[in-house]
Structure formats: structure tokens, C-alpha cells
Amino acid sequence: MFELEKELKELFDIYEKSPYELYLVGGCVRNRLMGITPKDYDLTSNALVNESKELLLKRHFRVLETGIKHGTITALKNHQSYEITTFRIEKGHIKHRKPKELVFSARLTDDLKRRDFSMNAIAYSPTKGIIDPFKGRSAIENQTIECVGGARLRFFEDALRILRALRFSATLGFKIAASTKRAVFACKDLLKHLSKERLQSELNKLLMGKNAYEVAKEYQEILELVIQEKIENLGFLKNAPLNLELRLLGFFKHQKSLENLRYPKKTCVLFSKAKECHKSFLNIHNKTELKFLLKNYDLEPFNLALDFYALENPKHALKIKRLLKEIFDSNEPFKKEHLALKGGALQSLGYQHQKIGEILNACLDLVIENPKNNALEWLIEWVKGHYLPNDAINLSPIRQKN
């Protein structure tokens, strides 16, 4: 039924000629049934890890012991890798996330019934075909996300499944079944037991989903619990490009909320600068005003803020982009490094190091207002007329024109 790559065929051939079973399982089977090429393949077997390892080494597969205590090894060949996990039963769970005990099983059904959603509880082998005891194919055909067994029990075992349900709904465009939806809201407080990193990871995937707006609107209460702030603007998600930083900029209000979810420092700083810059666009009407704004921000937060502003005020954003193009096409200065006058030249003229930044900043203001002033001789003469060497006493207002 499925077209399998050479290495996968070889894996199945190895197990077919042994006393053991081997199946593709989980997301890769779901994706295949949806016509999507899987990014990776998970397999499950009734062979214990040492038994699988022995089989594979005989056929020149490399084997990594990636999760022996969980019954998992990784088989590698020709730069392809495949995780193979022994059928297992999970007993009890710690902090609504990790199983207290794993019991290896000889039955495929035991392994499938511990999984989160019916669409992910389907197995496949070339000889036995599709194994679907929990009607996962029907769920896929009906574009429905439904827990295997009781939804509340599934969420109690692993609270991350609550966000996974929302994430799959956003990325696949499937609806969450009524019984599972009720359990999502009933069990929402379990989310507080999860690590911030896990919450962040699922939230990112959700926000990048094609149905992010619809899911965020329907489950706003859940997402507010995750980010610990009130969500005031969801409409931007309707037309927002698939850029995570931009979607975070619209979704969150405060940098602190990103920090609480353990977003990288770089992401938090970019968010903060872009939020700040975004507030200034309404006051930009000409190139000079735009250059003074560019002076204060790096291009990365500036461009991010402008892309978001374009979702709110496309006409004015287009005008700003035209002004920006004119500035770049004309090589008009807006940063200190664009000045014809450099710090070294000021030092050679006897100006103190601690004042050079102030002087260059004053020069930059001049050339932003009039790019023709960005000439070395003119700037030197202006500095000599406004600052004394050595103590660099300011003799007149910095923005005073000649």
C-alpha cells in the first residue's frame, strides 16, 4: 500500500525472516494516509531491544542505544535513521507527563491503545497492511481529532496532549471531537504541571498552523492559561505570513510572558525592540522622520515591526516601504557607521574618547536632516566650531544648523 524507501524495505525484510513483528506506527502512517511524505519514521516491534539489535547488526545496520530503558533503539544505514521501540504498556504517570513504569508487551494492540489520538494509533506493515483497532482511518477521513479511549484519562496521563490536540487542529485543519473538546476544557489546569519549554514548543507549532486563527479563537481560554496573559488581538492571524517571530509579536503583549515560557534571549530582545519600534510608525510621514527612527533600531526588529504594521495599516506601511527604498537607493546615512567622519579622525584632532560618541551622534543628526552634510571636511569644520578639543565643551545646541 505504501511506497517504502530501500532501507525501510530492508528493515521489514529482516524482521519478516525472524520470529518478530515490525510495524510503522504513529505520525508517519497518519501522514502517508493523508498523502503527506513523512519527515521521519517510527517503528514498533515485539522484539526486545537486544533482540532487535542482534538482528540489525547482522545485516550491517548501525545501532544507537537511544532509549534502552524505554525500549528504543535507532537503526542507521545510508544516512537514514529509524527509531524502533518495543511494544509497551505505560503504568501510572509522574506529574501528568512521564509514565512511572513501562511494561514491554508481545501485543501490538497494547502499544496502540496507549497512544494519544486515534489518527496516531494506526500501524502498518507490508505483509499485514493497515492495523487500525481504534478507527484512526475514519478519524482522518472525517478530519477529526479524537482521543484513544477516555479523553480525560489520556490528558490526565499526559497533559501535553491537550496542547497537542490544539496543535494538530491548527496544523492539519482537523476539528477536535466534542468529547475530546470537553475534556480539553475540563483538564486545562493540568497544563500547569508541564515544563515551560514543552509549552513553548507546542505553542510555536500551533501558531505556525494554517488554522491557527480558528483554533486560537475557539480555545483562547486555554492559550491564555499557557501564556499567562490576556490575548487581545487574534485577527492578525488571519492574514499573517508564516513567520514565527511576526506571529509572536502579534500574539503576545509583554516580553515577560515570552521569558516565562523560556523563549531564547535573542527572541525576547527582538520582540521587545520590534514592539517599541512598531509604536512609532504612525508618526512617520517623510524620509527624515524615517531615518531618525532607523537610527535607533537595527534592521531586524525594524523590518519585523514594519511587516506587522502592514497587517494593521497596509496603505501607510506601503508608503513607509517606498520611503525606505528611496533611502537605500540613495545611500542616505542613518547610522554612525554611515558617517564620513570616524572616531579615529576625532581622536587625532584631540577630542577625548568619552566624548566622541556624543559628537558623532550630533553629526549623524545633521546628516540625517541633510545628507549633503555627510562630507569629511564639512563635518570636521562643524565639529571644530561646536566642540573644543580635550574637554569637548558643547558651545551650542547639538541640532543647531549653520
Side-chain angles (χ1 to χ4, degrees), residues 333-350:
F334 54 84
K335 294 285 188 186
K336 286 181 184 178
E337 54 264 33
H338 300 158
L339 287 171
L341 178 63
K342 307 299 181 185
L346 290 173
Q347 280 185 310
S348 67
L349 292 171

Side-chain angles (χ1 to χ4, degrees), residues 1-4 29 32-34 123-127 129-130 137:
M1 180 179 179
F2 294 163
E3 275 295 320
L4 301 179
V29 180
R32 281 287 193 174
L33 290 171
M34 293 178 64
Y124 169 81
S125 83
T127 54
I130 292 288
R137 291 180 79 176

Side-chain angles (χ1 to χ4, degrees), residues 8-254:
L8 263 179
K9 288 179 180 177
E10 189 175 351
L11 273 178
F12 278 109
D13 182 63
I14 291 170
Y15 281 79
E16 285 294 330
K17 293 175 180 177
S18 78
Y20 308 110
E21 302 170 32
L22 183 71
Y23 300 90
L24 287 170
V25 71
C28 63
V29 180
R30 178 198 71 229
N31 285 348
R32 281 287 193 174
L33 290 171
M34 293 178 64
I36 301 169
T37 301
K39 293 180 180 178
D40 47 44
Y41 293 90
D42 292 327
L43 298 104
T44 188
S45 173
N46 58 348
L48 297 174
V49 288
N50 59 323
E51 294 166 337
S52 282
K53 185 176 178 180
E54 184 179 350
L55 284 176
L56 295 166
L57 290 174
K58 285 179 180 177
R59 291 287 292 269
H60 308 295
F61 274 82
R62 286 179 58 215
V63 176
L64 299 180
E65 297 181 352
T66 44
I68 294 295
K69 68 178 181 179
H70 299 110
T72 301
I73 58 170
T74 301
L76 300 101
K77 195 168 191 180
N78 298 334
H79 307 291
Q80 302 294 325
S81 64
Y82 308 95
E83 276 199 357
I84 303 172
T85 302
T86 304
F87 301 161
R88 66 192 192 191
I89 300 168
E90 296 176 351
K91 293 188 175 182
H93 285 75
I94 302 168
K95 294 184 178 180
H96 308 285
R97 181 74 183 108
K98 296 179 180 179
K100 287 182 181 177
E101 182 185 0
L102 292 175
V103 178
F104 298 122
S105 171
R107 299 196 316 149
L108 173 63
T109 307
D110 286 337
D111 191 81
L112 295 179
K113 72 181 180 182
R114 70 177 176 84
R115 296 178 181 269
D116 51 8
F117 309 114
S118 57
M119 65 180 184
N120 294 333
I122 310 170
Y124 169 81
S125 83
T127 54
K128 296 183 176 66
I130 292 288
I131 312 296
D132 183 20
F134 302 105
K135 301 180 180 179
R137 291 180 79 176
S138 175
I140 292 170
E141 289 166 4
N142 294 319
Q143 299 190 341
T144 302
I145 298 166
E146 188 166 20
C147 285
V148 175
R152 292 194 184 199
L153 175 60
R154 291 283 86 85
F155 294 153
F156 185 84
E157 291 170 342
D158 184 353
L160 192 65
R161 289 168 174 164
I162 296 170
L163 274 190
R164 280 171 60 83
L166 272 59
R167 184 250 290 184
F168 281 127
S169 183
T171 56
L172 300 178
F174 288 12
K175 292 294 290 183
I176 298 175
S179 59
T180 300
K181 179 178 179 178
R182 287 193 295 270
V184 164
F185 284 99
C187 299
K188 65 181 186 295
D189 288 338
L190 296 177
L191 291 169
K192 66 185 178 184
H193 296 284
L194 300 176
S195 74
K196 302 298 185 182
E197 291 81 2
R198 288 286 186 181
L199 293 173
Q200 180 212 127
S201 177
E202 289 297 328
L203 179 62
N204 288 346
K205 293 171 186 175
L206 187 160
L207 288 176
M208 291 295 283
K210 61 183 179 181
N211 277 38
Y213 168 72
E214 290 79 4
V215 173
K217 184 179 179 182
E218 189 171 357
Y219 295 92
Q220 183 171 336
E221 178 185 344
I222 306 299
L223 296 179
E224 287 178 346
L225 194 64
V226 171
I227 69 173
Q228 293 292 294
E229 67 174 36
K230 188 75 175 172
I231 300 171
E232 295 182 351
N233 175 24
L234 285 175
F236 81 96
L237 284 171
K238 292 179 183 178
N239 302 309
L242 291 177
N243 176 301
L244 180 59
E245 285 78 15
L246 186 143
R247 290 185 169 219
L248 292 174
L249 186 65
F251 192 72
F252 285 87
K253 276 181 65 179
H254 305 293

Side-chain angles (χ1 to χ4, degrees), residues 288-306:
T288 300
E289 290 170 345
L290 181 55
K291 284 185 287 183
F292 273 111
L293 183 61
L294 285 164
K295 170 189 171 183
N296 296 319
Y297 295 97
D298 291 334
L299 284 176
E300 187 178 14
F302 175 88
N303 286 330
L304 180 62
L306 184 55

